[in-house]
């Protein structure tokens, strides 16, 4: 067996994209070091909200574990996907129904914890911000400078590859593409997770089940004129909900697109929700602790996601709107494809590996970002050049077909991971 030292990747970003990449690259025979600006790994389920995980991502994640049932234990099955509307007599009418959906849901913190806890803790540098990088003269390695946010100490790191997994507001992408601007969608999302553990027979939960009888087995998209909401169950007796609301572009501080909200903003949200949604849904919103606001951005597909020894993955490579459940699923697929390419070509042929990664992923993620954008505009009743604004109360069955998640390009699989 060769005593040759393993190649090394420096991964910037310790969220799901970054730790998925760590799993994939370790599986491909690489050493990894993960830089994350947060001071410590997230703890508990207070971080983030619900995720919907497609069949491909389920398969990829299970491949990283010697005991695949651990993934099943932190997720919840969703067999169905429905788009519904409230008619004038306050009855819920089904617009589309897919009974072969086969997603699973997870709380962000649970999936992150599962992936993180299976990695060696020594590969993480918490509390470090990458602020510059450069390739060596022969372009055979990359040098990274990072600052410890607690002490302002500057460290230098060297690796064969730099992976930018630092999210939609990526610092590394900003260095590579300083003129790139994200596109504001025109709307934001109120989000929350209601913990109803031990309260399954409560008035709130039983009332909601009467309105949404397939809840617990189904991802519901409830459409109204110029708005829509999402509702599905998570493991551990939790309900994830999202409500998309038209809103002028905010003046956000820092890199986060999530805003902490005041009690006045929350109370105003309740009042507006009462005008749109069934009282049973509004009751769930009111009983949710600490709802928060996400402002929805994406960007036009990039023309490249590889620069010599630097590669973008996840939201750093393709910021996307959430309507097709693509953000996390694309990040996991990015990581798996990158790992496959690196394992196939070896470090001696790193340029070929990265060229293949870019060749495989750009056509997929570009189409998925644009399709997700289109789905959001349809469901929010916004204009599109090839169809009139969608109104769920008057839409024909043909108008509604495009609402279904299964129409997402490459929904059934992606090149590089499905034998194509």
């Amino acid at each position: 067996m060769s005593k040759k030292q393993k190649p090394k990747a420096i991964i910037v970003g310790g969220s799901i994209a970054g730790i998925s990449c760590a799993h994939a690259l370790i599986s491909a025979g690489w050493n990894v070091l993960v830089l994350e600006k947060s001071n410590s790994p997230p703890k508990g389920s207070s971080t983030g909200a619900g995720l919907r995980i497609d069949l491909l991502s389920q398969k990829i994640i299970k491949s990283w574990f010697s005991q695949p049932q651990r993934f099943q234990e932190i997720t919840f099955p969703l067999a169905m996907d429905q788009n519904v509307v409230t008619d004038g007599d306050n009855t819920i009418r089904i617009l589309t129904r897919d009974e072969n959906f086969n997603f699973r849901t997870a709380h962000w913190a649970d999936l992150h914890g599962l992936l993180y806890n299976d990695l060696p803790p020594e590969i993480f540098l918490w509390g470090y911000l990458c602020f510059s990088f450069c390739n060596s003269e022969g372009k055979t390695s990359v040098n990274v400078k990072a600052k410890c946010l607690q002490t302002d100490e500057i460290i230098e790191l060297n690796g064969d590859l730099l992976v930018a997994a630092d999210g939609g507001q990526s610092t590394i992408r900003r260095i590579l593409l300083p003129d790139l601007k994200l596109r504001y969608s025109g709307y934001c999302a109120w989000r929350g997770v209601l913990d109803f553990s031990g309260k399954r027979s409560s008035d709130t939960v039983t009332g909601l089940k009467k309105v949404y009888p397939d809840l617990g087995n189904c991802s519901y998209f409830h459409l109204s004129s110029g708005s829509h909401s999402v509702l599905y169950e998570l493991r551990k007796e939790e309900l994830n909900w999202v409500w998309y609301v038209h809103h002028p572009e905010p003046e956000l501080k820092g890199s986060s697109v999530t805003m902490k909200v005041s009690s006045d903003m929350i109370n105003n949200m309740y009042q507006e929700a009462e005008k749109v949604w069934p009282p049973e849904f509004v009751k769930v919103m009111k009983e949710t602790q600490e709802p928060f606001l996400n402002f929805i951005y994406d960007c036009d597909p990039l023309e490249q996601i590889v620069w010599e020894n630097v590669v973008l993955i996840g939201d750093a490579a393709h910021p996307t709107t959430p309507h097709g459940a693509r953000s996390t699923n694309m990040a996991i697929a990015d990581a798996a494809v990158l790992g496959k390419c690196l394992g196939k070509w070896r470090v001696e042929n790193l340029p070929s590996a990265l060229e293949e990664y870019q060749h495989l992923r750009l056509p997929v993620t570009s189409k998925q970002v644009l399709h997700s954008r289109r789905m959001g505009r349809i469901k929010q009743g916004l204009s599109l050049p090839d169809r009139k604004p969608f109104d769920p109360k008057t839409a024909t069955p043909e108008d509604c077909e495009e609402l279904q998640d299964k129409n997402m390009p490459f929904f059934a699989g992606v090149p590089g991971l499905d034998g194509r």
Side-chain angles (χ1 to χ4, degrees):
M1 187 172 175
S2 174
K3 299 281 188 182
K4 189 175 179 182
Q5 190 174 6
K6 288 183 179 181
K8 178 182 177 182
I10 299 167
I11 301 170
V12 176
S15 191
I16 287 174
I19 56 178
S20 294
C21 193
H23 276 279
L25 268 58
I26 289 170
S27 297
W30 281 59
N31 286 328
V32 301
L33 180 66
V34 181
L35 298 180
E36 168 54 44
K37 62 185 178 182
S38 302
N39 286 325
S40 62
K43 294 178 182 177
S45 289
S46 59
T47 306
L51 303 171
R52 296 183 302 148
I53 305 164
D54 65 21
L55 275 172
L56 176 62
S57 293
Q58 294 172 38
K59 181 180 177 182
I60 293 168
I61 293 168
K62 289 176 187 177
S63 76
W64 294 333
F65 291 92
S66 58
Q67 298 175 306
Q69 72 272 16
R70 291 169 60 194
F71 171 76
Q72 305 293 105
E73 291 167 0
I74 64 110
T75 58
F76 189 86
L78 286 185
M80 286 190 288
D81 173 46
Q82 291 188 56
N83 287 276
V84 301
V85 63
T86 305
D87 279 334
D89 57 358
N90 289 325
T91 59
I92 302 290
R93 175 167 54 94
I94 297 172
L95 299 173
T96 69
R97 179 182 174 99
D98 179 2
E99 296 188 1
N100 298 295
F101 192 53
N102 296 322
F103 275 47
R104 294 186 75 89
T105 65
H107 196 292
W108 185 96
D110 290 340
L111 181 59
H112 186 276
L114 175 74
L115 293 168
Y116 170 72
N117 290 328
D118 203 59
L119 292 168
E122 62 270 17
I123 71 171
F124 289 88
L125 278 178
W126 295 99
Y128 280 85
L129 176 69
C130 169
F131 66 88
S132 74
F133 57 89
C134 62
N135 286 289
S136 64
E137 282 190 25
K139 299 178 182 177
T140 56
S141 65
V142 61
N143 181 268
V144 174
K145 288 186 179 181
K147 180 170 75 170
C148 176
L149 296 178
Q150 287 191 317
T151 65
D152 287 337
E153 174 197 10
I154 305 294
I155 61 170
E156 290 195 33
L157 304 164
N158 195 266
D160 299 283
L161 176 66
L162 173 61
V163 181
D166 52 344
Q169 303 273 0
S170 169
T171 299
I172 294 173
R173 190 187 66 230
R174 198 175 298 129
I175 293 170
L176 295 166
L177 298 169
D179 297 327
L180 181 73
K181 296 286 189 288
L182 296 186
R183 182 199 71 98
Y184 180 56
S185 66
Y187 51 89
C188 61
W190 280 98
R191 302 198 66 173
V193 174
L194 173 66
D195 180 352
F196 65 95
S197 52
K199 302 175 184 176
R200 190 171 283 276
S201 59
S202 68
D203 290 345
T204 300
V205 177
T206 55
L208 195 69
K209 287 278 285 186
K210 287 178 182 176
V211 178
Y212 304 100
D214 293 309
L215 195 61
N217 194 35
C218 178
S219 176
Y220 273 101
F221 292 83
H222 196 152
L223 284 81
S224 182
S225 298
S227 183
H228 74 290
S229 60
V230 186
L231 185 67
Y232 54 80
E233 192 168 332
L234 305 173
R235 194 183 70 90
K236 296 192 297 192
E237 299 187 309
E238 294 175 319
L239 286 168
N240 182 85
W241 60 268
V242 189
W243 177 24
Y244 295 98
V245 181
H246 295 297
H247 195 285
E249 183 170 5
E251 291 186 16
L252 294 172
K253 296 178 181 178
S255 61
S256 177
V257 294
T258 299
M259 177 185 287
K260 288 187 175 181
V261 291
S262 66
S263 57
D264 285 347
M265 292 170 70
I266 293 172
N267 288 329
N268 184 64
M269 181 265 288
Y270 295 155
Q271 292 173 21
E272 293 302 312
E274 287 170 348
K275 301 174 185 176
V276 182
W277 305 120
E280 295 84 356
F281 192 178
V282 178
K283 196 172 182 184
V284 168
M285 295 177 176
K286 289 182 176 180
E287 293 185 14
T288 299
Q289 293 187 358
E290 298 183 5
F292 60 95
L293 265 179
N294 262 151
F295 289 89
I296 309 301
Y297 288 84
D298 67 5
C299 81
D300 292 336
L302 305 185
E303 294 182 1
Q304 67 183 100
I305 50 175
V306 169
W307 286 260
E308 296 171 345
N309 295 46
V310 182
V311 58
L312 308 184
I313 76 160
D315 286 346
H318 36 71
T320 186
T321 59
H323 307 287
R326 286 300 91 202
S327 178
T328 298
N329 289 301
M330 282 197 290
I332 292 167
D334 286 348
V337 172
L338 180 60
K340 290 262 188 183
C341 293
L342 293 176
K344 170 185 171 182
W345 286 97
R346 310 291 182 187
V347 70
E348 307 85 61
N349 299 301
L350 183 59
S352 296
L354 297 181
E355 182 181 349
E356 183 173 21
Y357 164 77
Q358 178 171 272
H359 173 75
L360 289 170
R361 292 306 290 157
L362 266 184
V364 175
T365 59
S366 297
K367 288 181 179 178
Q368 292 189 335
V369 165
L370 294 177
H371 188 83
S372 184
R373 177 189 297 181
R374 180 177 177 86
M375 285 177 69
R377 293 192 69 81
I378 291 172
K379 292 186 176 186
Q380 283 296 102
L382 294 168
S383 61
L384 284 164
D386 61 341
R387 63 179 293 166
K388 62 184 181 181
F390 180 78
D391 185 341
K393 295 184 179 179
T394 59
T396 66
E398 292 74 24
D399 286 336
C400 297
E401 274 301 303
E402 204 171 352
L403 303 174
Q404 298 189 82
D405 274 0
K406 68 180 182 181
N407 294 321
M408 176 64 66
F410 303 98
F411 183 78
V414 300
L417 295 175
D418 59 2
R420 282 184 284 160

